[in-house]
Amino acid sequence: MTIDPVTLAILKGRLEQIADEMDATLFRSAFNPIIAEAHDASHGIYDATTGETLVQGKSGLPIFVGVMAFAVKAVIEKAKRQGGVHEGDVWIFNDPYDGGTHLSDFRLVKPVFRNGEVFCYLASVGHWHDVGGNVPGNYNPAATECFQEGMLIPPVKLYDRGAFRQDIVDILSSNSRLPLSLYGDLNGQINALELGEKRINELLDEYGDRTIADCLVQLTARAAQMMRAQISGLPSGVVSAEDFLDNDGIHDVPLKIALDLTVDGDRMIMDFSRSSPACAGPVNISRSTTIAACYVALKHIFGDVPANAGVLEPVEFRIDESSLLSVHAPKPVGGYTETILRLIDVVFQAVAKIAPEPAMACAYGTINALSLAGHRANGQRWVMFSFFGGGHGAHGAGDGLNHGNAPISTATIPPLEILEAAYPIKFRQWALRPDSGGAGKFRGGLGAIYEIELLEKEADVFLFGERGKFPPPGVVDGGPGALNTFCYHKEDGDHVPPMVSKIVGIHIDRGDYVRLETPGGGGYGQAFDRDPAGVANDVRLGFVSLASAEDTYGVALRVDGTVDDAQTRALRTREAAQ
């Protein structure tokens, strides 16, 4: 059945709205700020037979939607082994090796039945505040096994034919430092799925099951067709890109993420065979997470392609089973965010070599997962977990975004007012970081400076970051962003962790503070091609220093901040002659 374009567009919007409503329901009802404020969650609609992504919401994390297809497949396969799926079933799990990311991300999967048959699956995923393990907040940079990162729950039924299983919730709650937060987030996800089921049934009643089913098939086919058209517009050939992780948190040795990208007509091969082998620390990821990260990277580059499984139909993946990009239990994977950000970076760098126009420079490349944990004066446990922003990469149409969130997500950085209200901390500083954006015709976005002071008697500090040794690269001769830096300040001065971007259990006292200076994004094009008036404006705004304007951009400014044209020409001519 062929659906006319107008009806198809209407149904596409209605389906996306269902996913958006599920997102909004969870954001409004979750107890922990990482979901409620930062929106570290996502919802989608998935195929009844294959589990493939059919529809995703616009406000959920893209990396979750990509990897959730593997999660739904895991539920389908387990249900087959246990007698099938039944109306009223809801599955819950956080297994990072079976359609997951890391242990903090809990998934709920619910079948939607029509006339006794599964029409589709709805899925919800959210980052829970604490799921046990050695480190409050669960980002343990010293983990050597997944058991040190938290509780691991395989796909199990939370609802069995509509009957709620309190025993499952009891097990989950008893393994968390913050059981009330867990309970609230869980119920928010349950409510989101119930709303999604209601909305799907309303849509099916209005248009008919056959029409909606055909619509979903056509949307996937169109995405695949559009992706093939985008790929065929690229020059055929092979290009390579490499980037590095600082270390794995255990051994202070860089880890390589390498991509050999082949464009052959309307098909693409993404070969990661030259990447480092599986490591001791928690920057390993599963194969499904690797593929989901590439999905996000390609969606950034080819933004017009609809977001569903069709995006990956013309793409072949080659990932060595011994690689850190394809590990199995019990290898630790808690820092998956850092590795997928590097995956996105190498995709950006490779595409820039064959197609500069749609390419973009690398973003800041680390979420800087920071945890502060202790006890209040009344003995109550508190755990502050948050991630922090940095600069995005420049592109052929303009400068990168200042102080944005990581390109794996549409999450937002929790407001300082929320963090200060919830935890015994005070922000001494929250500001843009001058000279942190990569130089170029178009400048990389600026990173940020955060200083967080402890107001309670004592606490322990944990950090899982990256880009402390290898700055975010620019593209098309653009310069790199600034390196990530971290220190903690005590009475005897500043201290820098030996692993640069990773620390475990540093003890601080009242009045001590931690300081993060996050990277900016990479630049696009040569710095001397930047409009001098743009450089002057950057200096006026405090984005670029006077010294950098002259030394990096070859722009001389008068005392009043205007461009000295003659001196600027002399600087740029002299540099070009060298």
Side-chain angles (χ1 to χ4, degrees), residues 134-136 139 141 369-373 460-464 503-506:
N134 288 8
V135 170
Y139 265 84
L370 178 68
S371 295
L372 279 72
D460 292 320
V461 181
F462 307 85
L463 175 72
F464 204 133
I503 62 169
V504 177
I506 296 298

Side-chain angles (χ1 to χ4, degrees), residues 387-405:
F387 43 80
F388 295 88
H392 279 223
H395 45 87
D399 296 340
L401 175 69
N402 292 335
H403 189 231
N405 211 334

Side-chain angles (χ1 to χ4, degrees), residues 42 63-72 75 90-96 98-110 122-128 153-156 158 186 189 193 288-289 336:
S42 193
I63 187 66
F64 282 165
V65 178
V67 81
M68 277 299 289
F70 296 92
V72 176
V75 167
V90 177
W91 298 75
I92 185 171
F93 61 111
N94 70 335
D95 188 338
D98 201 1
T101 42
H102 65 169
L103 295 174
S104 298
D105 299 332
F106 262 84
R107 291 149 170 75
L108 274 67
V109 177
K110 179 182 181 67
L122 302 177
S124 170
V125 57
H127 181 120
W128 289 5
I153 306 298
V156 295
L158 179 65
L186 171 62
Q189 289 183 260
L193 291 178
S288 60
T289 305
Y336 88 100

